[in-house]
Amino acid sequence: MGTIAERKLSDGRIAYKAQIIIKRKGEPTHRESRQFPRRTTAKAWMERREKELRAPGGIEKARGKRKTLADAINQYIDDHKKSYGRSKAQVLQRLKEMPIAEKPCDEITSQHIVDLAREFGEGRATSTVGNYLSHLAPIFRMARPAWQIDLDPAAINDALIVCKRLGLISKSNRRDRRPTMDELEKLMTHYQDSAARGHMPMNKIIPFAIFSTRRQDEIVRAQWQDLDKQHSRLLIRDMKNPGEKIGNDVWCELPPEAMRIIETMPNTGLDKPIFPHRANNISASFIRTCALLGIDDLRFHDLRHEGVSRLFEMGKTIPQVASVSGHRSWQSLQRYSHIRATGDRFEGWRWLNQVAPLQEAISSNES
């Protein structure tokens, strides 16, 4: 038999405590209770939980080890058919290390998630907190139907609404940072000397990122077998996309400048990477060098933004730009709609001829 009692919390809010008592032969054999912010939610949980407990083996199962949020996260990782990108794997691992991960799933309410957002948000951007909760949400929504783990999907839904209204979470801020030609001059001068000493060829990777509009992960994943020289295009495997990534393979056109740079790279086999380096090393090198040269607030990903902006400045249409950048939704490119066709500021750029001499590219094509 279940009951619902209204309670006034210390902060003035009203909560509803649902309590279930199962009796056998007139004697209580099992008790459970949970607190909810709404009476309707409390009633729905109570009715569902009573049905589960009265099922054969229900009470015995309830007395066993209770699943924690960490268990649910592990189940999500183990059972998911797709592998994850580096950032999502890091987020899930970080969530498993937080105190809320040790709580039994059937005790986690929206208040716990809001408290998590407050705690985690100290010293972090609201967009970062929002990103973490967005990765937590599908676990709450899948737990019951997929694994019979008692996570309440209403808890995460309510928490997201509260967090948005309280300003604890937000979408990522849109960056409009572009490197200046002077900053690129400094970077290319530094990396040209570095490449001459046998280090990673950042002097080629940087201009390739600009002209191809490719992300650093996409650059290092590209293999020679993904290159279609005849049609000047590159197959980008597992391209980043909201909702889908793994298996999202997209052919992207390569502007002539990007093709020239690829032609200078040694082809060591079809199944070998064109740029045989690690994304982490590229990022770390770029950050260190920017600090060394006094270049503030410039990220490697800003080179993609520069490349897309360049195409619009050259007078390309949204479909033409999307064929290079790989944007599935043209709506994503609307942010560039204010850019006027002013010409190509990289026309005659001396560094392209330095790292990919035109004659070398022509000779390679002829051979």
Side-chain angles (χ1 to χ4, degrees):
M1 186 69 181
T3 59
I4 298 176
E6 183 177 304
R7 301 179 60 194
K8 188 172 183 179
L9 303 180
S10 58
D11 59 4
R13 293 181 298 112
I14 300 298
Y16 298 89
K17 182 178 181 180
Q19 186 175 43
I20 298 173
I21 301 177
I22 303 295
K23 296 182 178 181
R24 287 181 178 172
K25 298 180 180 181
E27 295 295 327
T29 59
H30 183 76
R31 297 175 185 266
E32 280 189 23
S33 65
R34 277 188 62 183
Q35 189 166 284
F36 298 88
R38 296 197 300 256
R39 181 182 291 273
T40 53
T41 309
K43 183 179 179 182
W45 173 82
M46 186 175 65
E47 292 176 349
R48 178 183 57 79
R49 191 61 182 142
E50 282 184 331
K51 184 177 180 181
E52 291 173 348
L53 290 170
R54 294 187 185 282
I59 293 179
E60 288 72 16
K61 183 179 178 180
R63 289 173 176 171
K65 183 182 178 181
R66 298 160 76 188
K67 296 284 188 178
T68 65
L69 179 58
D71 293 327
I73 294 174
N74 285 331
Q75 190 74 52
Y76 181 75
I77 294 172
D78 292 342
D79 285 8
H80 214 279
K81 298 300 181 183
K82 302 174 182 177
S83 59
Y84 301 113
R86 185 175 69 252
S87 60
K88 183 168 185 176
Q90 291 172 345
V91 167
L92 293 176
Q93 182 59 41
R94 180 70 180 90
L95 286 168
K96 285 168 55 179
E97 296 169 357
M98 302 194 74
I100 192 175
E102 298 305 314
K103 289 191 69 66
C105 289
D106 59 1
E107 291 184 4
I108 298 177
T109 67
S110 59
Q111 184 63 52
H112 292 117
I113 303 171
V114 173
D115 290 342
L116 167 67
R118 284 198 179 98
E119 176 187 352
F120 189 71
E122 294 180 4
R124 293 183 176 87
T126 53
S127 58
T128 301
V129 181
N131 182 49
Y132 271 66
L133 293 194
S134 70
H135 286 307
L136 193 59
I139 297 173
F140 273 76
R141 292 164 186 158
M142 292 178 63
R144 281 180 184 165
W147 317 303
Q148 288 75 53
I149 295 178
D150 196 16
L151 274 177
D152 185 4
I156 190 69
N157 294 337
D158 290 346
L160 289 171
I161 292 173
V162 172
C163 288
K164 287 177 183 177
R165 291 181 178 175
L166 293 179
L168 298 175
I169 62 175
S170 68
K171 293 183 178 179
S172 298
N173 295 325
R174 179 176 291 173
R175 280 181 64 86
D176 291 315
R177 177 73 159 91
R178 296 176 63 180
T180 65
M181 297 306 289
D182 181 59
E183 289 171 336
L184 288 174
E185 180 71 20
K186 292 179 180 178
L187 286 167
M188 293 300 294
T189 299
H190 172 87
Y191 279 125
Q192 189 77 349
D193 294 339
S194 175
R197 296 193 298 271
H199 296 166
M200 181 169 55
M202 289 290 289
N203 61 327
K204 295 184 180 182
I205 293 173
I206 286 177
F208 181 78
I210 294 173
F211 294 126
S212 69
T213 75
R214 301 272 57 84
R215 303 175 177 89
Q216 62 186 23
D217 283 342
E218 296 167 353
I219 292 174
V220 300
R221 281 202 307 268
Q223 298 180 349
W224 286 102
Q225 62 188 353
D226 301 327
L227 177 65
D228 180 358
K229 287 187 180 182
Q230 182 178 357
H231 300 98
S232 296
R233 61 179 187 166
L234 186 66
L235 181 63
I236 307 302
R237 300 184 185 276
D238 301 334
M239 176 175 279
K240 182 178 179 181
N241 179 62
E244 286 295 330
K245 177 179 178 181
I246 305 303
N248 183 39
D249 301 340
V250 180
W251 282 104
C252 294
E253 294 185 18
L254 287 171
E257 299 85 353
M259 275 296 302
R260 282 175 57 180
I261 295 171
I262 285 182
E263 291 283 4
T264 69
M265 299 300 295
N267 188 336
T268 56
L270 289 178
D271 61 345
K272 302 299 182 181
I274 298 173
F275 297 92
H277 305 283
R278 296 177 59 185
N280 286 345
N281 292 342
I282 291 175
S283 179
S285 175
F286 192 82
I287 292 171
R288 285 196 307 267
T289 302
C290 283
L292 176 67
L293 299 176
I295 299 174
D296 296 327
D297 190 36
L298 185 65
R299 305 172 186 172
F300 190 88
H301 189 75
D302 294 331
L303 303 180
R304 172 173 163 85
H305 176 55
E306 170 61 33
V308 174
S309 299
R310 168 183 177 260
L311 294 174
F312 278 107
E313 288 174 345
M314 292 171 62
K316 303 295 185 182
T317 64
I318 287 181
Q320 288 173 327
V321 174
S323 70
V324 176
S325 68
H327 283 92
R328 178 181 294 180
S329 170
W330 292 356
Q331 189 69 29
S332 302
L333 293 172
Q334 290 298 325
R335 60 177 293 200
Y336 298 93
S337 60
H338 67 285
I339 295 179
R340 296 182 179 180
T342 57
D344 182 8
R345 68 171 178 160
F346 287 91
E347 184 176 0
W349 192 43
R350 75 183 186 96
W351 287 110
L352 179 59
N353 288 327
Q354 286 272 356
V355 301
L358 188 59
Q359 188 58 44
E360 179 178 338
I362 292 174
S363 300
S364 298
N365 281 326
E366 289 177 349
S367 61

